[in-house]
Amino acid sequence: MQSAISLRPFTRSEYHHFYAHYMPDAVMMTEQYLYRRSYADRCFDYECRQQDWHPIFGIFLDEQDCIGALSLKFADADSKTCEIGIILRDDTCKGHGYGTRAMQQGIALAREVYGIRHIYADTSDANERMKHILVKLDFHLTARHVITLGMEPEANLLRYVLE
């Protein structure tokens, strides 16, 4: 039987638990990640204040284990656009279809709750998993930008859209 994936807002304790166990993907983050409770508290408070236009949801496996976070950044009811983003807790959460199923739910949420028509997603050219998910979900590549921010020596940032 396939494990159930659900999206819901984090509680403060779930947020702390997730980020205390988060292991960033080396493809996306070259610096070492260090969990700091006080910093996580400030981030949680900041994200709570942005829920109208930048909602963030925990990705839960079987309603209990938080395995990731999904955001609908810059949700704009007037232009009916947003940018979707996802992170998974660690490599044990990858390769099981959890990210794809969470993205499907995030897309449905964006459309049904926020009235979004155009959903954008950015990823690094090196992030094969995310590129696979985006193509699988009918996103189309619209732009490629060379960036140097923290990526050695440089990387292509890819912009996709789902209409």
Side-chain angles (χ1 to χ4, degrees), residues 75-91:
D76 184 342
D78 293 334
S79 67
K80 300 191 182 310
T81 62
C82 76
E83 180 181 325
I84 196 167
I86 185 173
I87 60 172
L88 294 178
R89 182 182 61 215
D90 56 41
D91 286 345

Side-chain angles (χ1 to χ4, degrees), residues 46-97:
Y46 177 76
E47 289 173 5
C48 285
R49 289 190 303 270
Q50 300 185 104
Q51 285 297 312
D52 289 346
W53 61 276
H54 190 160
I56 297 176
F57 305 92
I59 303 168
F60 292 86
L61 183 61
D62 295 327
E63 294 290 331
Q64 298 174 25
D65 187 20
C66 184
I67 62 163
L70 182 136
S71 63
L72 299 175
K73 304 176 230 176
F74 315 114
D76 184 342
D78 293 334
S79 67
K80 300 191 182 310
T81 62
C82 76
E83 180 181 325
I84 196 167
I86 185 173
I87 60 172
L88 294 178
R89 182 182 61 215
D90 56 41
D91 286 345
T92 66
C93 302
K94 299 173 184 172
H96 305 286

Side-chain angles (χ1 to χ4, degrees):
M1 186 166 114
Q2 193 175 43
S3 297
I5 294 293
S6 59
L7 302 179
R8 64 177 157 79
F10 282 106
T11 64
R12 185 177 297 275
S13 63
E14 289 167 340
Y15 189 88
H16 277 288
H17 188 265
F18 173 71
Y19 281 104
H21 295 91
Y22 176 61
M23 299 289 294
D25 192 323
V27 169
M28 298 306 297
M29 187 175 193
T30 58
E31 301 140 14
Q32 183 175 354
Y33 171 77
L34 177 63
Y35 167 76
R36 293 187 320 268
R37 185 168 187 79
S38 61
Y39 181 74
D41 266 332
R42 287 193 309 273
C43 289
F44 181 79
D45 292 339
Y46 177 76
E47 289 173 5
C48 285
R49 289 190 303 270
Q50 300 185 104
Q51 285 297 312
D52 289 346
W53 61 276
H54 190 160
I56 297 176
F57 305 92
I59 303 168
F60 292 86
L61 183 61
D62 295 327
E63 294 290 331
Q64 298 174 25
D65 187 20
C66 184
I67 62 163
L70 182 136
S71 63
L72 299 175
K73 304 176 230 176
F74 315 114
D76 184 342
D78 293 334
S79 67
K80 300 191 182 310
T81 62
C82 76
E83 180 181 325
I84 196 167
I86 185 173
I87 60 172
L88 294 178
R89 182 182 61 215
D90 56 41
D91 286 345
T92 66
C93 302
K94 299 173 184 172
H96 305 286
Y98 303 151
T100 300
R101 293 190 342 244
M103 288 284 288
Q104 288 168 326
Q105 289 182 28
I107 291 165
L109 187 68
R111 294 198 189 289
E112 295 164 15
V113 175
Y114 296 93
I116 300 298
R117 288 196 189 139
H118 303 285
I119 302 172
Y120 295 92
D122 293 339
T123 192
S124 162
D125 197 20
N127 192 341
E128 295 297 330
R129 282 188 169 121
M130 189 61 176
K131 291 190 311 186
H132 174 76
I133 290 171
L134 294 172
V135 170
K136 186 180 199 176
L137 297 178
D138 294 326
F139 280 77
H140 302 284
L141 181 64
T142 61
R144 180 183 303 263
H145 304 282
V146 176
I147 59 170
T148 56
L149 299 173
M151 298 184 180
E152 299 172 10
E154 61 184 33
N156 286 317
L157 178 68
L158 308 178
R159 169 132 279 205
Y160 289 82
V161 67
L162 177 65
E163 300 179 294

